[in-house]
Amino acid sequence: MAQATGPATLDVCNPSSSSLPTDHSVNSESPVQIKGQTGRILTKEELEKLQTDQNVVSDFKQNKLEIEAQKNWDLFYKRNTTKFFKDRHWTTREFEELKACRKFAAQKLVLLEAGCGVGNCIFPLLAEDANIFVYACDFSPRAVEFVKENPLFCSKRCKVFQCDLTSGDLHVNIPADSVDVVTLIFVLSAIHPDKMHLALENIYRVLKPGGIVLFRDYGLYDHAMLRFKSGSKLGENFYVRQDGTRSFFFSRELLLELFTRAGFQSLVNDYVMRETVNKKEGLCVPRVFLQSKFRKQD
């Protein structure tokens, strides 16, 4: 595996053995965030760990994981209900397009949250912005029901439905070329790499010409990638957690290739390196995400 290039090296301190999704799971007391086009450089020990871990899960088990992908996410939400992920109040700070793409202040913004989970992104947006209509879909029927049961849910401002982005047609619930902005946050990484292009092509069809996809997901050599134990590897940069859910870790180059092949134009495509320190627990955790913006050409 090639080593990423970049000027900064962040070391893993006391890595956790948990394999649950981790976009927020560390109690941050002192986060420092750096954005740029250079990725994280591995230490010699980390590089050796990845190079020696060539124990790939059998084809039989991989096929079983693909068949049971929806069931495994449904069980995840059954165990954790609405309590695992925190509400994402940072989206309007990180993605100014949620406001700036309008021609006038009172313009109704039509948004698709692709992979909405239990609504941790959409409900803060609906509370903050009165001039927004949200389409929201998720692979897990249980997650969709949690959204509908939320006291903040309003059918006049939000349409939520179950959908497999790789096989279900978004056109069934969303008119073609009608969406201003799509948020794709910690979703594409859960899809098998061979099917990611299908999800992006599906999204492309409902997005308006000139519309934007706002993307954030796991980056190459994120802390979560390095703490997987031997026997968790499904393929290059692709792993399975103990609960059967899967996670892929993106390089800038691969993400750019995926989106441009689906017809998108790249506007921003940066690594976000965030060293999260929990002084109380004595942990320092280097996180690596990709934060990107892609445009459907006119």
Side-chain angles (χ1 to χ4, degrees):
M1 184 177 296
Q3 186 173 0
T5 58
T9 301
L10 298 177
D11 295 329
V12 176
C13 303
N14 302 321
S16 167
S17 61
S18 170
S19 59
L20 286 171
T22 53
D23 61 310
H24 79 283
S25 58
V26 175
N27 181 19
S28 169
E29 289 188 3
S30 179
V32 177
Q33 182 167 290
I34 300 172
K35 295 180 182 179
Q37 296 186 357
T38 53
R40 178 174 176 246
I41 297 177
L42 295 178
T43 65
K44 181 180 178 181
E45 292 76 15
E46 290 166 345
L47 185 59
E48 288 177 353
K49 177 183 183 297
L50 290 180
Q51 289 175 335
T52 55
D53 184 13
Q54 301 301 321
N55 184 18
V56 179
V57 172
S58 69
D59 289 343
F60 174 80
K61 185 175 179 182
Q62 294 215 37
N63 289 333
K64 189 171 186 287
L65 287 169
E66 179 66 21
I67 292 169
E68 296 179 351
Q70 184 183 76
K71 183 183 79 171
N72 289 332
W73 276 109
D74 235 30
L75 289 172
F76 171 86
Y77 288 112
K78 182 179 180 179
R79 286 190 301 271
N80 297 288
T81 65
T82 61
K83 304 183 187 307
F84 189 84
F85 298 110
K86 294 180 180 178
D87 283 349
R88 292 166 178 162
H89 295 281
W90 49 265
T91 50
T92 52
R93 181 185 72 242
E94 294 291 336
F95 297 122
E96 67 275 7
E97 284 79 5
L98 290 169
K99 294 184 178 180
C101 67
R102 295 168 178 166
K103 294 180 180 179
F104 51 93
Q107 179 183 344
K108 179 76 73 174
L109 185 74
V110 178
L111 181 140
L112 166 61
E113 168 80 346
C116 64
V118 297
N120 298 102
C121 181
I122 63 173
F123 289 122
L125 289 175
L126 288 168
E128 183 177 331
D129 193 335
N131 293 316
I132 187 171
F133 180 87
V134 175
Y135 291 104
C137 66
D138 200 87
F139 192 26
S140 164
R142 194 181 300 270
V144 169
E145 288 306 309
F146 279 129
V147 173
K148 291 180 178 179
E149 292 168 3
N150 191 302
L152 298 176
F153 177 75
C154 173
S155 60
K156 294 180 179 179
R157 302 190 62 206
C158 181
K159 181 177 181 179
V160 59
F161 55 96
Q162 190 277 332
C163 182
D164 179 348
L165 291 172
T166 68
S167 62
D169 193 346
L170 288 171
H171 278 174
V172 174
N173 290 281
I174 307 174
D177 303 322
S178 66
V179 174
D180 297 300
V181 178
V182 176
T183 52
L184 192 61
I185 300 174
F186 296 105
V187 172
L188 200 61
S189 59
I191 296 174
H192 194 287
D194 292 346
K195 295 184 176 181
M196 289 178 182
H197 71 283
L198 298 173
L200 297 182
E201 291 164 6
N202 203 357
I203 288 168
Y204 189 91
R205 289 191 287 269
V206 298
L207 195 61
K208 287 181 181 178
I212 303 292
V213 176
L214 305 177
F215 177 93
R216 186 172 172 116
D217 216 322
Y218 299 109
L220 193 63
Y221 306 148
D222 177 56
H223 170 70
M225 176 179 175
L226 296 174
R227 69 183 185 178
F228 276 105
K229 295 180 179 179
S230 180
S232 303
K233 189 172 184 178
L234 301 172
E236 186 174 6
N237 307 328
F238 191 38
Y239 296 84
V240 60
R241 303 183 182 95
Q242 293 174 355
D243 64 1
T245 62
R246 298 167 296 177
S247 186
F248 187 86
F249 298 84
F250 294 94
S251 67
R252 288 182 64 252
E253 294 77 14
L254 177 62
L255 189 68
L256 178 63
E257 179 185 346
L258 283 167
F259 271 90
T260 53
R261 187 165 51 139
F264 290 94
Q265 173 190 8
S266 177
L267 301 179
V268 177
N269 188 24
D270 288 336
Y271 288 108
V272 176
M273 294 197 290
R274 183 183 181 94
E275 187 174 51
T276 304
V277 179
N278 186 323
K279 296 178 181 177
K280 186 175 182 180
E281 299 295 331
L283 296 173
C284 73
V285 179
R287 306 311 311 271
V288 182
F289 306 122
L290 267 177
Q291 187 161 303
S292 310
K293 302 172 187 178
F294 296 94
R295 180 177 177 270
K296 179 176 178 177
Q297 301 188 47
D298 295 321

